[in-house]
Coordinates of all heavy atoms in Angstrom, one line a residue:
A159 N 109.7 59.1 -18.5 CA 109.0 58.0 -19.1 C 107.5 58.3 -19.2 O 106.8 58.1 -20.2 CB 109.2 56.7 -18.4
I160 N 107.0 58.8 -18.1 CA 105.6 59.2 -18.0 C 105.3 60.4 -19.0 O 104.3 60.3 -19.7 CB 105.1 59.6 -16.6 CG1 105.1 58.3 -15.7 CG2 103.8 60.3 -16.6 CD1 104.8 58.6 -14.3
I161 N 106.1 61.3 -19.1 CA 106.0 62.5 -20.0 C 106.0 62.0 -21.4 O 105.2 62.3 -22.3 CB 107.0 63.6 -19.7 CG1 106.8 64.2 -18.4 CG2 107.0 64.6 -20.8 CD1 107.9 65.2 -18.0
T162 N 107.0 61.2 -21.7 CA 107.2 60.7 -23.1 C 106.1 59.8 -23.5 O 105.5 59.9 -24.6 CB 108.6 60.0 -23.3 OG1 109.6 60.9 -22.9 CG2 108.8 59.5 -24.7
G163 N 105.8 58.8 -22.7 CA 104.8 57.8 -23.0 C 103.4 58.4 -23.1 O 102.7 58.0 -24.1
T164 N 103.0 59.3 -22.2 CA 101.7 59.8 -22.3 C 101.5 60.8 -23.5 O 100.4 60.9 -24.0 CB 101.3 60.6 -21.0 OG1 102.3 61.6 -20.7 CG2 101.3 59.7 -19.8
L165 N 102.6 61.5 -23.9 CA 102.5 62.3 -25.1 C 102.2 61.4 -26.3 O 101.4 61.7 -27.2 CB 103.8 63.1 -25.3 CG 103.8 63.9 -26.6 CD1 102.7 65.0 -26.6 CD2 105.2 64.6 -26.7
S166 N 102.9 60.3 -26.4 CA 102.7 59.4 -27.5 C 101.2 58.8 -27.5 O 100.6 58.8 -28.6 CB 103.7 58.2 -27.4 OG 103.5 57.3 -28.5
V167 N 100.8 58.5 -26.3 CA 99.4 58.0 -26.2 C 98.4 59.1 -26.6 O 97.4 58.8 -27.3 CB 99.1 57.5 -24.8 CG1 97.6 57.2 -24.6 CG2 99.9 56.2 -24.5
A168 N 98.6 60.3 -26.1 CA 97.6 61.4 -26.4 C 97.6 61.7 -27.8 O 96.5 61.9 -28.4 CB 98.0 62.6 -25.6
M169 N 98.7 61.7 -28.5 CA 98.7 62.0 -30.0 C 98.0 60.9 -30.7 O 97.3 61.1 -31.7 CB 100.2 62.1 -30.4 CG 100.9 63.3 -30.0 SD 100.1 64.9 -30.5 CE 100.2 64.7 -32.3
G170 N 98.2 59.6 -30.3 CA 97.5 58.5 -31.0 C 96.0 58.6 -30.8 O 95.3 58.4 -31.7
L171 N 95.6 58.9 -29.6 CA 94.2 59.0 -29.3 C 93.5 60.2 -30.1 O 92.4 60.0 -30.6 CB 93.9 59.2 -27.8 CG 94.2 58.0 -26.9 CD1 94.1 58.5 -25.4 CD2 93.2 56.9 -27.2
L172 N 94.2 61.3 -30.2 CA 93.7 62.4 -31.0 C 93.6 62.0 -32.5 O 92.6 62.5 -33.1 CB 94.6 63.6 -30.8 CG 94.5 64.3 -29.4 CD1 95.6 65.4 -29.3 CD2 93.1 64.9 -29.2
L173 N 94.5 61.2 -33.0 CA 94.3 60.8 -34.4 C 93.1 59.9 -34.5 O 92.3 60.1 -35.5 CB 95.6 60.0 -34.8 CG 96.9 60.7 -35.1 CD1 98.0 59.8 -35.5 CD2 96.7 61.7 -36.2
L174 N 92.9 59.0 -33.6 CA 91.7 58.1 -33.7 C 90.4 59.0 -33.5 O 89.5 58.8 -34.3 CB 91.7 57.1 -32.6 CG 92.9 56.1 -32.6 CD1 92.7 55.1 -31.4 CD2 92.9 55.3 -33.9
K175 N 90.4 59.9 -32.6 CA 89.2 60.7 -32.3 C 88.9 61.6 -33.5 O 87.8 61.7 -33.9 CB 89.5 61.6 -31.1 CG 88.3 62.5 -30.7 CD 88.6 63.1 -29.3 CE 87.5 64.1 -29.0 NZ 87.6 65.3 -29.8
E176 N 89.9 62.2 -34.2 CA 89.7 63.1 -35.3 C 89.2 62.3 -36.5 O 88.4 62.8 -37.3 CB 91.1 63.7 -35.7 CG 90.9 64.8 -36.8 CD 90.1 66.0 -36.4 OE1 90.1 66.3 -35.2 OE2 89.5 66.6 -37.3
A177 N 89.6 61.0 -36.6 CA 89.1 60.2 -37.7 C 87.7 59.5 -37.4 O 87.2 58.8 -38.3 CB 90.1 59.1 -38.1
G178 N 87.2 59.8 -36.2 CA 85.9 59.2 -35.8 C 86.0 57.7 -35.5 O 85.0 57.0 -35.7
L179 N 87.2 57.2 -35.1 CA 87.4 55.8 -34.8 C 87.2 55.4 -33.4 O 87.2 56.3 -32.5 CB 88.8 55.4 -35.3 CG 89.1 55.6 -36.8 CD1 90.6 55.3 -37.0 CD2 88.2 54.8 -37.7
L180 N 87.1 54.2 -33.1 CA 86.9 53.7 -31.8 C 88.2 53.0 -31.3 O 89.1 52.6 -32.2 CB 85.8 52.6 -31.7 CG 84.4 53.1 -32.2 CD1 83.4 52.0 -32.3 CD2 83.9 54.2 -31.3
T181 N 88.4 52.7 -30.1 CA 89.5 51.9 -29.6 C 89.0 51.2 -28.3 O 87.8 51.3 -28.0 CB 90.7 52.8 -29.2 OG1 91.8 52.0 -28.9 CG2 90.4 53.7 -28.0
G182 N 89.9 50.4 -27.7 CA 89.5 49.6 -26.6 C 89.7 50.1 -25.2 O 90.2 51.3 -25.1
G183 N 89.5 49.3 -24.2 CA 89.8 49.6 -22.8 C 88.9 50.7 -22.3 O 87.9 51.1 -22.9
T184 N 89.3 51.3 -21.2 CA 88.6 52.4 -20.6 C 88.6 53.6 -21.5 O 87.7 54.5 -21.5 CB 89.1 52.8 -19.2 OG1 90.5 52.9 -19.3 CG2 88.8 51.7 -18.2
T185 N 89.7 53.7 -22.3 CA 89.8 54.8 -23.3 C 88.7 54.7 -24.3 O 88.0 55.7 -24.7 CB 91.1 54.8 -24.0 OG1 92.2 54.9 -23.0 CG2 91.2 56.0 -25.0
G186 N 88.4 53.4 -24.7 CA 87.4 53.2 -25.7 C 86.0 53.5 -25.1 O 85.1 54.1 -25.8
L187 N 85.8 53.2 -23.8 CA 84.6 53.5 -23.1 C 84.4 55.0 -23.1 O 83.3 55.5 -23.3 CB 84.6 52.9 -21.7 CG 84.4 51.4 -21.6 CD1 84.5 51.0 -20.1 CD2 83.1 50.9 -22.2
A188 N 85.5 55.7 -22.8 CA 85.4 57.2 -22.7 C 85.1 57.8 -24.1 O 84.3 58.7 -24.2 CB 86.8 57.7 -22.3
I189 N 85.6 57.2 -25.2 CA 85.2 57.7 -26.5 C 83.8 57.4 -26.8 O 83.1 58.3 -27.4 CB 86.1 57.0 -27.6 CG1 87.6 57.5 -27.5 CG2 85.6 57.2 -29.0 CD1 88.5 56.9 -28.5
L190 N 83.3 56.2 -26.4 CA 81.9 55.9 -26.7 C 81.0 56.9 -25.9 O 80.0 57.4 -26.5 CB 81.6 54.5 -26.2 CG 82.2 53.4 -27.0 CD1 81.8 52.0 -26.3 CD2 81.7 53.4 -28.4
I191 N 81.3 57.2 -24.7 CA 80.5 58.2 -23.9 C 80.6 59.6 -24.5 O 79.6 60.3 -24.6 CB 80.9 58.2 -22.4 CG1 80.7 56.8 -21.8 CG2 80.2 59.3 -21.7 CD1 81.3 56.6 -20.4
H192 N 81.8 59.9 -24.9 CA 82.0 61.2 -25.5 C 81.2 61.4 -26.8 O 80.5 62.4 -27.0 CB 83.5 61.4 -25.9 CG 83.8 62.6 -26.7 ND1 83.7 63.9 -26.2 CD2 84.2 62.7 -28.0 CE1 84.0 64.8 -27.2 NE2 84.3 64.1 -28.3
Y193 N 81.3 60.4 -27.7 CA 80.5 60.4 -28.9 C 79.0 60.5 -28.7 O 78.2 61.2 -29.4 CB 80.7 59.2 -29.8 CG 82.1 59.2 -30.5 CD1 82.6 58.0 -31.1 CD2 82.9 60.3 -30.6 CE1 83.8 57.9 -31.7 CE2 84.1 60.3 -31.2 CZ 84.6 59.1 -31.8 OH 85.8 59.0 -32.4
S194 N 78.5 59.8 -27.6 CA 77.1 59.8 -27.3 C 76.6 61.0 -26.6 O 75.4 61.4 -26.8 CB 76.8 58.5 -26.4 OG 77.2 57.3 -27.1
T195 N 77.4 61.6 -25.8 CA 76.9 62.7 -24.9 C 77.6 64.1 -25.3 O 77.0 65.1 -24.9 CB 77.2 62.4 -23.4 OG1 78.7 62.4 -23.2 CG2 76.6 61.1 -23.1
G196 N 78.8 64.1 -25.9 CA 79.4 65.3 -26.1 C 80.2 65.9 -25.0 O 80.8 67.0 -25.0
I197 N 80.2 65.2 -23.8 CA 81.0 65.6 -22.7 C 82.5 65.5 -23.0 O 82.9 64.6 -23.7 CB 80.6 64.7 -21.4 CG1 79.2 64.8 -21.1 CG2 81.5 65.0 -20.2 CD1 78.7 63.9 -20.0
S198 N 83.3 66.3 -22.4 CA 84.7 66.4 -22.6 C 85.4 65.0 -22.5 O 85.2 64.3 -21.5 CB 85.4 67.3 -21.5 OG 86.8 67.2 -21.5

């Protein structure tokens, strides 16, 4: 379940990131920091 679920989440996040979109939660905070600083 962890392997399957996390793969689905990771693919979804990569789609959002590639399109330059935002999302919510701590993932959204991570994207904001990434866009602002360029850190991994």
